[in-house]
Amino acid sequence: MEYPSTQAQRWEPERRPWRLADGLRIVRRRQSYLNMLYLLMAFPLGLLYFVLFIIGFSVGTSLAFIGVGLFILLAMLGGAWWLGGFERELTMWWLGITIAPMRREQAEERSRTLWQRTTALLRNRITWTSLLYLLVKFLFGTLAFSIVFTLIALTAALLCAPLAAVLQVAANGRLDGSQTISLLASPLYFLVGLIVGVLTLYACDGLTWVWVQFARVTLGMSEAELQLTQARETATRAQVRAARAEQSRRELIVNVSHELRTPIASIRGHVESLQMAAEETPEAGTTTAGSVASPAELRDYLAIISRESERLSALVDDLLSLARADAGELKLDLRPTMAGEVVEEVYESLAPLARRERQVTLVRQVAPDLPPAIADRQRLAQVLLNLVRNAITYTPTGGLVSLVAERGDAGHIMITVADTGMGIPLEDQDRIFERFYRTDASRARASGGFGLGLAIVRDLVQAMGGTVTVQSVEGEGSRFEVRLLVASGA
Ligand code: ADP
């Protein structure tokens, strides 16, 4: 089967000779009668607006000298704006057309003062063109009403001509010359009546079209105005974003300096102690009674220095990760990934450590036939390492940490890291994904991190198109759920 090309259809529209049936289609068009009603209603509405304007204007100007009048004039302009809005809605609803909005409300407008709102009202072109619309509506309504009413009356009179002629003959009881002529001419009148009726509908459509164009110009923003406001909104949004970025940059500097202070002070303190010990101990490796540092103490000091340096280096790594995410340089290699394999890797690298250092048991479970998820394998491992490390850190000796990968709700796979640890207070649960946020309990622990781990987890999971949530009961444990999209076709 051959289809005509759309190109040909677009450039060579079908040309049909004009037929009477096409011209008469207007008679069955519901909208033409609605247009007629709209035009008839324009008169009483226009009259109402005119009367309100005259009252407002005369009272306002006559009282202007005592100041109250100015308020009345301003209220009148506000009223013109409001009535303009009403007319816009009414016209769109009645005539089934669209008119551009009168303005675009911007977020900051809600916090404007009365004075700012008033000046904005006065500066807005639509306030004045609405007023013009309402005044012209009176003139247009009068004109439209006269034309439409006359045409309807003429049509009705012509259509009734045969009936009138018959009634006249019936009333007289006989047929004289003039009655014969009017009886014979009446079908012609009827025909003319039909033509005038159809022309009335065309006139209504034409008048409505003219009025709609006027309403569009006076009650709606022009294309250029719309574009200008959109450009302004974009600029305002960019400004707000820039201010927020500046604010978070400042906060970051304060937080980082604060976090660096403790480990650096600890390293410095212990290095100084070691220096003092070296000065007091004449020969390296020998201890004298009363010496500051025994070999055991030296080992402890060095262990502390080493641990604090590791923390510093972890902080720098975390900061780099966040900085990359902020700069949009987080390059992810998103591809179908078997989450079960990543779970296995994380389990193998952390289970011995958990048992050895904290006597915490780590268990894992991967659902059979788990479909691949959309993820960056390395980043997913980083996410799970962070969550499991936290779970181990915040779970007391003898506790249990589980790592489970299974099918989630439609189109997702879910990886859960649950523990039987200290839990997270309800009021902190919303905030633990923020940068540098730590709960009081973890702040009190010397070995706690810097509060960046979960912020990185959230950034990474979101960059993979997933979500991460937490549920926790204080004293019972926590449960972090990572949802990732199932790779399509899986
Ligand atoms: P940190 O490096 O301090 O662990 P995170 O961003 O990883 O930073 O975590 C933020 C805070 O959330 C932690 O300081 C801790 O208070 C809390 N938290 C995270 N995971 C757990 C958990 N499994 N159990 C209890 N508290 C947790």
Side-chain angles (χ1 to χ4, degrees):
M1 186 175 167
E2 266 193 21
Y3 293 97
S5 94
T6 45
Q7 280 289 324
Q9 270 184 351
R10 195 176 308 150
W11 297 114
E12 290 165 31
E14 197 187 349
R15 287 209 182 101
R16 283 196 297 137
W18 187 82
R19 284 186 307 196
L20 185 63
D22 294 337
L24 290 179
R25 201 166 288 156
I26 194 167
V27 178
R28 284 188 303 160
R29 219 177 131 247
R30 184 170 162 267
Q31 188 59 49
S32 298
Y33 297 97
L34 288 175
N35 291 352
M36 184 188 278
L37 267 177
Y38 179 82
L39 292 173
L40 291 173
M41 280 299 292
F43 172 61
L45 282 174
L47 185 65
L48 176 71
Y49 301 147
F50 188 70
V51 170
L52 287 177
F53 173 78
I54 293 292
I55 295 173
F57 189 73
S58 44
V59 174
T61 44
S62 57
L63 295 179
F65 64 96
I66 53 165
V68 185
L70 281 180
F71 284 106
I72 294 177
L73 289 175
L74 277 178
M76 202 183 82
L77 279 180
W81 175 277
W82 188 84
L83 284 175
F86 165 74
E87 270 290 319
R88 177 177 166 273
E89 293 290 333
L90 182 80
T91 307
M92 289 202 299
W93 171 74
W94 201 317
L95 304 179
I97 53 144
T98 50
I99 299 176
M102 293 170 78
R103 67 179 186 139
R104 283 171 69 101
E105 197 189 346
Q106 294 180 18
E108 75 274 8
E109 279 183 29
R110 272 170 234 131
S111 53
R112 279 187 180 175
T113 58
L114 187 65
W115 172 248
Q116 284 170 328
R117 280 166 195 257
T118 311
T119 49
L121 181 80
L122 290 176
R123 278 208 310 266
N124 196 327
R125 169 189 75 87
I126 307 273
T127 310
W128 302 98
T129 49
S130 293
L131 190 62
L132 178 72
Y133 173 95
L134 297 173
L135 292 177
V136 175
K137 179 134 187 163
F138 173 57
L139 294 178
F140 174 80
T142 315
L143 186 77
F145 186 86
S146 323
I147 296 175
V148 176
F149 191 78
T150 310
L151 286 173
I152 291 175
L154 185 63
T155 310
L158 289 166
L159 290 180
C160 290
L163 186 66
V166 171
L167 286 178
Q168 203 180 15
V169 173
N172 283 356
R174 58 189 176 79
L175 201 61
D176 60 20
S178 70
Q179 280 169 358
T180 313
I181 292 172
S182 63
L183 203 59
L184 287 176
S186 63
L188 194 68
Y189 285 141
F190 186 78
L191 194 67
V192 175
L194 284 180
I195 295 170
V196 175
V198 172
L199 289 179
T200 306
L201 290 175
Y202 273 110
C204 287
D205 278 8
L207 279 171
T208 311
W209 183 84
V210 172
W211 188 246
V212 165
Q213 304 316 311
F214 183 66
R216 283 202 168 122
V217 174
T218 48
L219 298 183
M221 292 167 83
S222 67
E223 193 55 35
E225 283 168 331
L226 270 172
Q227 277 173 4
L228 191 70
T229 352
Q230 266 162 4
R232 267 201 209 119
E233 279 169 18
T234 315
T236 316
R237 269 201 300 273
Q239 267 173 2
V240 171
R241 257 205 310 274
R244 243 186 248 144
E246 178 58 26
Q247 172 71 11
S248 72
R249 196 183 62 83
R250 263 191 238 122
E251 280 172 14
L252 191 73
I253 293 174
V254 172
N255 283 326
V256 170
S257 321
H258 182 75
E259 295 297 343
L260 285 174
R261 210 188 280 150
T262 323
I264 290 178
S266 167
I267 292 173
R268 275 185 57 192
H270 288 92
V271 167
E272 272 167 23
S273 303
L274 286 176
Q275 280 171 336
M276 277 165 57
E279 278 161 19
E280 283 176 25
T281 311
E283 285 169 51
T286 59
T287 41
T288 51
S291 158
V292 175
S294 66
E297 276 174 323
L298 284 179
R299 256 198 312 278
D300 280 354
Y301 284 4
L302 287 171
I304 291 170
I305 293 170
S306 159
R307 197 182 62 220
E308 294 295 356
S309 323
E310 269 170 31
R311 286 187 69 210
L312 279 180
S313 129
L315 171 64
V316 172
D317 286 348
D318 285 355
L319 285 171
L320 265 176
S321 270
L322 287 170
R324 281 205 193 100
D326 284 351
E329 284 171 12
L330 201 64
K331 300 252 167 353
L332 294 185
D333 180 16
L334 292 180
R335 57 175 74 207
T337 304
M338 299 310 293
E341 291 172 11
V342 184
V343 163
E344 196 59 38
E345 273 169 29
V346 171
Y347 169 78
E348 274 167 20
S349 74
L350 291 182
L353 206 77
R355 174 148 292 287
R356 202 177 51 240
E357 290 189 2
R358 301 196 44 83
Q359 288 81 51
V360 166
T361 311
L362 176 62
V363 294
R364 88 312 198 174
Q365 192 188 348
V366 177
D369 305 328
L370 196 64
I374 299 178
D376 176 316
R377 200 186 164 100
Q378 259 188 327
R379 306 296 191 177
L380 180 59
Q382 191 182 347
V383 164
L384 298 185
L385 281 169
N386 259 333
L387 292 177
V388 176
R389 260 196 219 117
N390 272 351
I392 296 168
T393 309
Y394 299 111
T395 297
T397 308
L400 185 74
V401 173
S402 68
L403 179 57
V404 177
E406 59 196 330
R407 257 185 191 273
D409 41 8
H412 288 98
I413 75 147
M414 188 163 82
I415 307 174
T416 313
V417 178
D419 63 57
T420 55
M422 56 162 66
I424 303 164
L426 197 63
E427 65 273 16
D428 290 324
Q429 288 179 18
D430 279 345
R431 303 201 56 194
I432 52 167
F433 291 98
E434 288 173 18
R435 292 174 186 188
F436 294 106
Y437 192 82
R438 281 183 287 169
T439 61
D440 286 343
S442 87
R443 232 183 278 271
R445 295 164 73 102
S447 60
F450 297 99
L452 288 176
L454 290 179
I456 294 175
V457 163
R458 190 187 54 185
D459 280 358
L460 290 178
V461 173
Q462 285 179 352
M464 288 190 262
T467 54
V468 55
T469 52
V470 64
Q471 292 155 21
S472 183
V473 178
E474 234 183 315
E476 287 184 19
S478 312
R479 183 185 164 88
F480 287 83
E481 290 177 354
V482 175
R483 281 186 185 71
L484 295 171
L485 290 168
V486 168
S488 60

